[in-house]
Amino acid sequence: MTSQKPRPLEQEDANQALPVERARTMPANFYLDPVQYDLSLEKIFARCWQFVGDTQTMFAESTKDGVVKTGAMTPFTLLEGSLNEPLLLTQEEKQLNCLSNVCTHRGSLLIEKNCEHSSIRCRYHGRRFALDGKYQSAPGFEGAEDFPSEQDNLPRAAMGSWGNLLFAGVKPALELDQIIGEMKERLAFLPLDQFKFAPQLSRDYFINANWALYIENYLEGLHVPFIHPSLVSLLDTKAYHTDFHPFCNVQIGVAAHEEDAFELPPSSPDHGQLIAAYYYWLFPNMMFNFYPWGLSVNVIMPQSYNTTKIRFLTYVWREERFGNYSVKDIHQTEMEDEAVVEMVQQGIRSRFYDTGRYSPTWENGVFQFHNLIRDFMKA
Ligand code: FES
Ligand SMILES: [Fe+2]
């Protein structure tokens, strides 16, 4: 359905200048119009960082004694289902590269599966590139003028990491540290190298709703007592609070009981508090949820204006700490959240609805998210 909604997004500028006490939420148009959706892929997703995975898993077949072998290559698709950008990780002796996986000759995909080679060879007409993407040779190009040039090298994508966790982007408008810097600092006490990917505890969910609706629900605690009654008994809801940073925020779940809390060292800024969970949201579509047992990463992957894939990636650190809140409970919470998010996607189609208001106490995260969307959409 294309939108019958009256208010164009450009009029959002005026709304953006308002404080949370007076502002209105995003117009329904944003979640219903396929044109807005396509625009958001270029304006937001192509200009932001994405979580790619962990190097341990991505190079599992090419690792010896804990070291990734020189020449190991791992192709992947950045944000499958929407951006669909084909990229390639290549391991040189001293550095990991993230390159375009598209041949600079006539655009064939280069590497189709994990492999080890000393150079990258296109199987269409045999063009070769070094592991850093530099053009090496091309049969049949004798006599071509101004050749090879800079354009014949494989373009580099942006790449950065935190421990084994890899992030990449097409053309990020921000530095990676503007997105993950605060999380890295606050959680510096966590031995990330001991976090192991657990495929049996990881899975994808699909919902019939716009990606942004899913994220909004994550960003507010107002719904928690209504939708997740079983969570309420575990958390000290009065102490539950959110810290805001320019491109991320963290909801801090304070534990009601000591056995559910992190053992925080004196170096942690939260030392002395009972913290059950850190729920980090990183603009635009990533959640890093840290628990005393490990990490649950959620990547919200748009598939169309009204369908979304949600990838849950579980990294286990201390299995013995699964305790009262575990992966099984996360699934239950997820089902409860998905049901309400799908109800919103249906509800906003109403001719009687366009926008709503923010709770100044509980919905500052949603307000922040909307303002960032507004900024990126107009840039
Ligand atoms: S497309 Fe790669 S060599 Fe022709
Ligand atoms: Fe929820």
Side-chain angles (χ1 to χ4, degrees):
M1 178 186 100
T2 46
S3 172
Q4 74 280 20
K5 302 293 171 184
R7 191 148 62 96
L9 271 184
E10 295 76 67
Q11 287 177 23
E12 281 299 291
D13 283 4
N15 202 36
Q16 191 167 5
L18 296 173
V20 68
E21 292 81 3
R22 297 185 54 203
R24 298 197 69 91
T25 60
M26 290 290 286
N29 198 12
F30 179 74
Y31 315 90
L32 294 172
D33 183 351
V35 175
Q36 289 296 329
Y37 171 78
D38 286 346
L39 210 58
S40 72
L41 297 185
E42 298 315 312
K43 297 246 180 195
I44 300 173
F45 288 96
R47 298 170 59 226
C48 284
W49 289 92
Q50 287 299 313
F51 177 63
V52 171
D54 66 287
T55 41
Q56 237 169 15
T57 306
M58 295 187 86
F59 285 105
E61 302 143 35
S62 299
T63 304
K64 207 173 161 219
D65 304 326
V67 180
V68 179
K69 293 190 220 159
T70 301
M73 300 186 208
T74 300
F76 69 99
T77 304
L78 193 70
L79 216 55
E80 204 162 15
S82 51
L83 279 187
N84 289 322
E85 187 63 47
L87 297 178
L88 176 66
L89 296 172
T90 63
Q91 179 67 52
E92 283 187 285
E93 204 161 326
K94 293 221 165 70
Q95 84 167 25
L96 183 65
N97 304 299
C98 185
L99 309 169
S100 166
N101 194 18
V102 173
C103 182
T104 51
H105 174 218
R106 294 228 323 270
S108 172
L109 287 182
L110 287 167
I111 302 293
E112 289 162 282
K113 48 183 196 286
N114 289 18
C115 56
E116 292 166 29
H117 290 295
S118 54
S119 64
I120 304 161
R121 180 177 162 272
C122 178
R123 71 183 182 89
Y124 195 177
H125 315 97
R127 186 173 286 206
R128 266 184 203 281
F129 306 89
L131 291 174
D132 65 358
K134 273 231 158 54
Y135 166 92
Q136 279 184 332
S137 62
F141 276 68
E142 304 77 17
E145 290 181 18
D146 293 328
F147 182 87
S149 75
E150 189 56 34
Q151 278 108 298
D152 298 299
N153 299 330
L154 294 177
R156 270 177 185 277
M159 186 191 69
S161 59
W162 177 30
N164 291 326
L165 307 178
L166 263 191
F167 297 81
V170 178
K171 265 198 174 98
L174 305 164
E175 298 296 322
L176 180 59
D177 261 354
Q178 289 177 276
I179 302 287
I180 69 169
E182 201 281 335
M183 174 169 81
K184 269 165 63 180
E185 215 173 290
R186 188 169 202 148
L187 303 180
F189 69 90
L190 290 174
L192 272 193
D193 53 329
Q194 293 172 26
F195 283 49
K196 296 278 174 276
F197 180 57
Q200 73 284 8
L201 301 176
S202 301
R203 58 169 294 179
D204 291 344
Y205 293 93
F206 291 87
I207 54 166
N208 291 312
N210 184 278
W211 66 277
L213 291 180
Y214 183 91
I215 289 169
E216 290 166 15
N217 175 70
Y218 177 92
L219 289 174
E220 49 93 353
L222 186 58
H223 74 274
V224 171
F226 302 100
I227 303 297
H228 312 300
S230 62
L231 271 188
V232 176
S233 59
L234 288 177
L235 298 173
D236 177 349
T237 40
K238 278 195 216 77
Y240 194 100
H241 61 280
T242 307
D243 281 359
F244 294 94
H245 306 281
F247 302 99
C248 76
N249 67 49
V250 53
Q251 300 174 67
I252 299 181
V254 177
H257 314 285
E258 198 165 345
E259 68 264 27
D260 298 325
F262 277 97
E263 291 152 24
L264 296 171
S267 61
S268 155
D270 306 312
H271 180 68
Q273 297 180 52
L274 292 183
I275 294 188
Y278 292 96
Y279 304 101
Y280 270 93
W281 164 72
L282 313 175
F283 183 74
N285 65 329
M286 296 170 281
M287 289 90 162
F288 281 67
N289 308 295
F290 292 89
Y291 303 97
W293 55 259
L295 164 67
S296 165
V297 181
N298 313 153
V299 183
I300 313 313
M301 303 169 70
Q303 304 292 299
S304 74
Y305 78 91
N306 63 355
T307 54
T308 301
K309 175 150 87 175
I310 298 131
R311 182 154 280 175
F312 269 56
L313 303 165
T314 303
Y315 290 86
V316 177
W317 169 35
R318 299 175 64 189
E319 207 166 339
E320 74 280 6
R321 299 280 336 253
F322 269 142
N324 287 338
Y325 190 71
S326 67
V327 172
K328 196 170 114 268
D329 304 303
I330 291 178
H331 176 74
Q332 170 64 25
T333 306
E334 179 61 18
M335 293 293 98
E336 293 163 356
D337 280 323
E338 289 185 5
V340 282
V341 169
E342 289 185 340
M343 286 205 309
V344 175
Q345 183 74 33
Q346 290 184 42
I348 57 172
R349 295 171 56 163
S350 162
R351 284 152 193 83
F352 293 109
Y353 183 87
D354 183 31
T355 69
R357 295 288 303 275
Y358 300 101
S359 150
T361 325
W362 288 99
E363 292 180 317
N364 283 286
V366 182
F367 182 54
Q368 177 191 18
F369 176 47
H370 287 175
N371 281 339
L372 285 168
I373 290 180
R374 288 163 177 140
D375 275 345
F376 272 75
M377 289 297 279
K378 76 182 174 206

